[in-house]
């Protein structure tokens, strides 16, 4: 297993980042890749990774900390949750809220995540209740500081954020509902994603 990749952020898009290390570009799937947007062009960053191999799928998933990766791995143990569903849950940026919902058996909150129905929400509670309290307290999922300097055209950050939400599994109806609120803000792509998820989960 690849424990982490250390290198320069070469490219960011809706659900992936590319880290260049010694001339090799590692494509890494992230719940919110725009948290890496603030890195300087020549600055190295460390991305902790989880290698997911199944049939014809071989992907690296990336995290800002080992604790975040541990939470991802715990979520994968739940029947009905795959990497994409686990990433959508991590993208909320507030693992404490997720753990609280599991501990309080709040199925209504858990079913707000894409791909999580009542059956999966119940399974999350059965499988994870009492097991996450030592994990989430040291996790910051999407809270790294980012640069507000952006060379893209105005609106580019918002469009990238909406693309990231689509990649996480949120539908057109949900995105249309939050878009008018987002258009009133001047934020980075990372902040747009987190703000949208706050509205979606309340």
């Amino acid at each position: 297993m690849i424990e982490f990749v250390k290198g320069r952020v070469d490219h960011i898009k809706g659900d992936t980042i590319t880290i260049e290390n010694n001339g090799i570009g590692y494509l890494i799937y992230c719940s919110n890749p725009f948290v890496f947007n603030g890195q300087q062009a020549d600055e190295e960053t460390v991305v902790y990774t989880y290698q997911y191999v199944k049939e014809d799928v071989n992907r690296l998933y990336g995290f800002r900390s080992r604790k975040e990766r541990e939470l991802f791995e715990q979520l994968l143990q739940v029947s009905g949750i795959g990497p994409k569903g686990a990433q959508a849950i991590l993208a909320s940026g507030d693992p404490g809220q997720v753990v609280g919902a599991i501990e309080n058996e709040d199925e209504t909150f858990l079913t707000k995540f894409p791909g999580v129905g009542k059956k999966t929400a119940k399974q999350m509670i059965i499988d994870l209740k009492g097991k996450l309290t030592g994990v989430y307290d040291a996790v910051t999922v999407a809270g790294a500081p980012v640069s507000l300097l952006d060379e893209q055209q105005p609106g580019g950050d918002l469009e990238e954020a909406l693309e990231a939400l689509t990649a996480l599994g949120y539908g057109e109806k949900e995105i249309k509902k939050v878009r008018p609120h987002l258009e009133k803000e001047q934020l980075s792509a990372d902040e747009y994603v987190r703000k949208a998820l706050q509205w979606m989960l309340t």
Side-chain angles (χ1 to χ4, degrees):
M1 178 178 170
I2 300 173
E3 160 71 357
F4 63 82
V5 176
K6 183 177 183 180
R8 180 182 61 86
V9 177
D10 180 74
H11 184 67
I12 300 175
K13 69 173 195 175
D15 59 346
T16 63
I17 61 171
T18 301
I19 299 290
E20 186 272 330
N21 177 287
N22 291 324
I24 299 173
Y26 293 87
L27 184 68
I28 303 173
Y29 289 78
C30 301
S31 59
N32 183 357
F34 300 108
V35 298
F36 297 98
N37 227 5
Q39 303 292 327
Q40 300 298 318
D42 58 348
E43 183 181 354
E44 285 194 333
T45 189
V46 174
V47 183
Y48 296 95
T49 56
Y50 176 89
Q51 189 167 9
Y52 181 79
V53 181
K54 186 176 181 181
E55 298 172 0
D56 59 345
V57 177
N58 190 344
R59 288 182 174 180
L60 280 179
Y61 289 87
F63 312 92
R64 293 198 65 88
S65 70
R66 290 183 173 95
K67 286 289 186 180
E68 183 185 344
R69 181 178 63 197
E70 186 178 345
L71 181 55
F72 177 83
E73 290 173 339
Q74 292 270 26
L75 290 168
L76 287 184
Q77 301 304 311
V78 178
S79 176
I81 297 183
K84 187 173 181 178
Q87 281 198 309
I89 294 169
L90 288 175
S92 69
D94 189 353
Q97 197 175 19
V98 176
V99 173
I102 292 170
E103 293 300 313
N104 294 319
E105 301 186 12
D106 186 352
E107 294 178 22
T108 302
F109 176 81
L110 296 174
T111 54
K112 291 181 180 180
F113 293 106
V116 178
K118 287 189 175 182
K119 182 179 178 181
T120 302
K122 286 180 180 178
Q123 196 65 49
M124 287 176 70
I125 293 165
I126 291 169
D127 291 350
L128 300 179
K129 186 175 180 179
K131 297 180 180 178
L132 296 178
T133 52
V135 176
Y136 87 93
D137 54 0
V139 178
T140 301
V141 175
V146 295
S147 171
L148 296 180
L149 299 175
D150 199 320
E151 297 177 359
Q152 298 181 14
Q153 296 299 316
D157 281 344
L158 175 57
E159 294 306 318
E160 285 186 335
L162 297 179
E163 182 185 340
L165 292 170
T166 301
L168 287 170
Y170 288 96
E172 185 179 344
K173 183 179 177 181
E174 295 164 302
I175 292 172
K176 277 186 176 180
K177 188 176 178 181
V178 298
R179 181 167 188 150
H181 299 289
L182 298 177
E183 288 176 341
K184 297 175 184 177
E185 307 275 356
Q186 283 290 108
L187 304 171
S188 66
D190 165 45
E191 291 168 326
Y192 275 129
V193 171
R194 283 188 274 165
K195 183 73 76 174
L197 291 169
Q198 286 173 11
W199 278 317
M200 288 178 178
L201 297 173
T202 54

